[in-house]
Amino acid sequence: MGEAKRRADQGLPPRDKPRAGKSRPVDDSPRIAPWLPLTRNQANRFVAVTTKGAWIGIGGLALFWITVRFIGPAAGWWTLADG
């Protein structure tokens, strides 16, 4: 049974159709260069996402180093070659 038939059998009104442009706002910011299909908002968002990713990577590297250098040997998982 289709959606329209089910709604008609139950006495419900037809479903509203989604309006065009309602799902995503239009980016009206100026382009970086006329020949480049990137806007200023897209460039700023790219910088923000990559900066956050870099800080996550730095934090992960620090945590890995602390684990290898201190936590692992203290827990007896391995011994250090220089120690």
Side-chain angles (χ1 to χ4, degrees):
M1 178 180 290
E3 175 72 11
K5 184 172 170 64
R6 182 189 66 79
R7 291 181 73 86
D9 289 346
Q10 292 180 351
L12 298 171
R15 197 170 67 176
D16 292 335
K17 294 184 180 182
R19 294 184 183 137
K22 187 177 179 184
S23 62
R24 235 191 306 170
V26 177
D27 187 8
D28 291 333
S29 63
R31 287 186 168 202
I32 294 173
W35 50 270
L36 190 64
L38 292 174
T39 63
R40 295 268 182 212
N41 287 345
Q42 289 172 332
N44 291 339
R45 186 167 175 227
F46 175 77
V47 169
V49 167
T50 54
T51 301
K52 185 179 285 189
W55 280 112
I56 290 171
I58 290 168
L61 180 64
L63 184 63
F64 177 73
W65 180 78
I66 289 170
T67 301
V68 168
R69 185 69 174 104
F70 299 110
I71 297 173
W77 296 337
W78 57 77
T79 58
L80 296 176
D82 63 352

